[in-house]
């Protein structure tokens, strides 16, 4: 075994699932088979999944899930359930941000994409959702003073639209080394909703190993829409989506990373005023996303609007798509030069 691997194992020891009372070697085996390797995985898995993996009843699963969370608090890797509002403010001051590559869009987001949160971009085809994701793959890798987090990326591609060539173009035009940028993006092609759920459940090791600071799901709801057709399947679809969204959110919180997801729109004929489109996925997605940004096309420009944010003003912001990925409209870019 090489030195590096030994060091990795040593770090993992305090996170081993058997450090939780009630988890023995046999259960460990079962948990591992279900992709649960560490206490972090146990804490992010949710009781239903732990029950599925171990054959425990839900009460015991809840208990072990709680114990895992408590242990993480003791280890200083997770915030306790109750913190004072003062501590919360301090913690919120520690939230870091990733520049999107467009100053206008950064301003709309209060400085960039936040860690510890899910940011959802939704809009019609060609609105720029995938382009934003590609640009973020580059900007997150920049050093902190330049707007990045010096972090790696996990890109979950459900539509087969991830393009390494486009990443190289964006990297080149932003003055980054394209090979270095590509080497820190881990891409997973998810072929159906169950596969997509499995990938998200198994993210822990990947995040730690590659110092991931950004997880992208492009797009999050498409498979669910395609697989669950008709009214009769709606309840099951929403339940599965709910579990998926909460796994994503817990991952963002436990690892202090940014999660960005994209979403399509569907027409809403019952809305008489404003834009007759709304995001897919219903309340489950709407309530779990921390920030929702609606994108529209306006000629060669794109207009972004923050929707339903707890503290951002509702206003529009303009950006464009070009060889740098997303960028500020050309007049503004040239003015700054
Ligand atoms: P969908 O819902 O179909 O996934 P989307 O919102 O993800 O749509 P994007 O793929 O992000 O849409 O945006 C597509 C647009 O990006 C195209 O209209 C194209 O004009 C623009 N675009 C793609 N590549 C480039 C490039 N290299 N230079 C400039 N513009 C580009
Ligand atoms: Mg797309």
């Amino acid at each position: 075994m090489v030195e590096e691997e030994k060091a990795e194992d040593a770090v993992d020891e305090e996170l081993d699932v058997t450090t939780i009372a009630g988890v023995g070697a046999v259960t460990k085996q079962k948990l591992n088979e279900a992709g649960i390797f560490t206490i972090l995985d146990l804490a992010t898995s949710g009781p239903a999944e732990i029950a599925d993996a171990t054959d425990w009843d839900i009460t015991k699963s809840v208990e072990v899930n709680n114990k895992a969370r408590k242990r993480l608090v003791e280890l200083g890797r997770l915030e306790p359930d109750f913190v004072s509002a003062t501590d919360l403010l301090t913690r919120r001051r520690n939230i870091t941000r990733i520049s999107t590559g467009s100053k206008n869009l950064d301003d709309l987001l209060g400085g960039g994409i936040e860690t510890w949160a899910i940011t959802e971009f939704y809009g019609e085809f060609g609105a720029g959702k995938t382009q934003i994701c590609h640009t973020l793959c580059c900007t997150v890798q920049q050093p902190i003073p330049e707007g990045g987090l010096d972090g790696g990326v996990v890109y979950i591609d459900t539509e087969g639209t991830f393009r390494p060539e486009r990443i190289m173009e964006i990297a080149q035009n932003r003055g980054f080394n394209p090979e270095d940028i590509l080497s820190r993006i881990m891409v997973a092609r998810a072929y159906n909703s169950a596969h997509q759920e499995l990938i998200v459940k198994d993210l822990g090791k990947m995040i730690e190993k590659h110092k991931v600071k950004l997880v992208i799901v492009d797009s999050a709801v498409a498979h669910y829409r395609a697989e669950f057709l008709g009214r009769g399947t709606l309840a099951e679809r929403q339940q599965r989506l709910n579990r998926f969204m909460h796994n994503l959110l817990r991952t963002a919180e436990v690892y202090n990373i940014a999660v960005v997801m994209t979403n399509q729109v569907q027409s809403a004929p019952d809305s008489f005023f404003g834009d007759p489109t709304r995001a897919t996925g219903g309340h489950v997605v709407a309530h779990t996303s921390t920030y929702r940004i609606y994108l529209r096309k306006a000629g060669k420009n794109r207009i972004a609007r923050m929707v339903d944010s707890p503290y951002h003003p509702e206003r529009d912001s303009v950006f464009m798509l070009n060889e740098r990925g997303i960028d500020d409209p050309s007049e503004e870019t040239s003015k700054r030069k």
Side-chain angles (χ1 to χ4, degrees), residues 148-169:
L149 292 178
D150 189 17
V153 184
V154 164
Y155 198 113
I156 301 169
D157 179 14
T158 73
E159 297 179 322
T161 50
F162 177 81
R163 292 287 176 277
E165 299 83 359
R166 177 67 169 138
I167 298 279
M168 289 185 82
E169 181 190 24

Side-chain angles (χ1 to χ4, degrees), residues 24-326:
V26 177
T27 313
K28 177 180 171 165
Q29 178 76 26
K30 288 183 186 166
L31 288 170
N32 287 358
E33 278 164 17
I36 300 169
F37 295 98
T38 64
I39 317 177
L40 286 157
D41 298 333
L42 258 187
T44 50
S45 282
E49 283 152 70
I50 297 173
D52 282 351
T54 56
D55 303 326
W56 288 336
D57 61 18
I58 205 78
T59 316
K60 166 105 190 198
S61 303
V62 168
E63 191 187 306
V64 168
N65 180 247
N66 283 337
K67 275 188 196 160
R69 232 186 356 258
K70 224 168 124 189
R71 183 80 191 110
L72 287 175
V73 172
E74 282 164 13
L75 291 171
R77 302 190 62 132
L78 195 66
E79 295 295 323
D81 291 342
F82 277 97
V83 293
S84 72
T86 320
D87 286 349
L88 205 55
L89 181 66
T90 314
R91 183 173 123 185
R92 289 200 56 83
R93 283 194 182 125
N94 288 333
I95 286 175
T96 43
R97 290 192 164 80
I98 306 162
S99 167
T100 59
S102 149
K103 191 173 177 309
N104 285 355
L105 195 55
D106 285 353
D107 287 348
L108 183 84
L109 292 160
I113 304 284
E114 271 185 21
T115 57
W116 222 304
I118 297 180
T119 303
E120 174 191 353
F121 289 97
Y122 71 95
E124 63 172 318
F125 68 93
K129 304 180 292 288
T130 299
Q131 299 304 315
I132 290 178
C133 295
H134 278 64
T135 313
L136 283 168
C137 284
C138 299
T139 55
V140 70
Q141 298 191 37
Q142 286 185 280
I144 293 166
E146 273 138 60
L149 292 178
D150 189 17
V153 184
V154 164
Y155 198 113
I156 301 169
D157 179 14
T158 73
E159 297 179 322
T161 50
F162 177 81
R163 292 287 176 277
E165 299 83 359
R166 177 67 169 138
I167 298 279
M168 289 185 82
E169 181 190 24
I170 296 169
Q172 216 137 31
N173 283 293
R174 288 184 172 271
F176 311 146
N177 181 324
E179 278 78 27
D180 289 352
I181 296 283
L182 282 181
S183 72
R184 293 185 74 187
I185 307 170
M186 305 293 135
V187 185
R189 173 80 169 95
Y191 289 98
N192 54 52
S193 64
H195 189 199
Q196 169 181 337
E197 286 160 19
L198 205 67
I199 291 168
V200 165
K201 266 194 65 193
D202 280 351
L203 276 183
K205 266 200 166 162
M206 190 69 109
I207 291 173
E208 297 235 308
K209 188 164 174 205
H210 297 279
K211 303 199 167 35
V212 166
K213 275 295 175 187
L214 171 67
V215 170
I216 291 170
V217 191
D218 183 25
S219 85
V221 188
H223 280 318
Y224 295 90
R225 280 186 87 195
E227 291 165 27
F228 295 87
L229 297 166
R231 286 235 146 248
T233 61
L234 194 64
E236 191 195 339
R237 184 190 90 171
Q238 289 311 92
Q239 202 177 1
R240 291 263 307 276
L241 246 181
N242 191 29
R243 198 194 272 193
F244 175 74
M245 290 294 298
H246 278 93
N247 267 336
L248 266 186
L249 188 59
R250 271 198 295 261
T251 305
E253 292 181 353
V254 170
Y255 296 96
N256 187 22
I257 57 163
V259 171
V260 167
M261 55 166 268
T262 67
N263 195 356
Q264 285 132 337
V265 286
Q266 64 193 74
S267 80
D270 54 332
S271 108
F272 288 106
F273 305 103
D275 203 309
T277 50
R278 64 173 166 223
T280 65
H283 295 302
V284 161
V285 174
H287 290 161
T288 320
S289 294
T290 323
Y291 304 113
R292 316 191 85 191
I293 295 101
Y294 175 42
L295 304 175
R296 336 199 267 288
K297 295 190 254 191
K300 67 177 179 53
N301 286 339
R302 298 292 184 270
I303 300 173
R305 164 175 287 215
M306 177 73 77
V307 182
D308 296 339
S309 163
Y311 65 95
H312 294 80
E314 195 161 298
R315 64 179 172 84
D316 288 346
S317 174
V318 183
F319 67 96
M320 65 178 286
L321 309 168
N322 63 17
E323 68 286 350
R324 287 161 53 89
I326 69 155

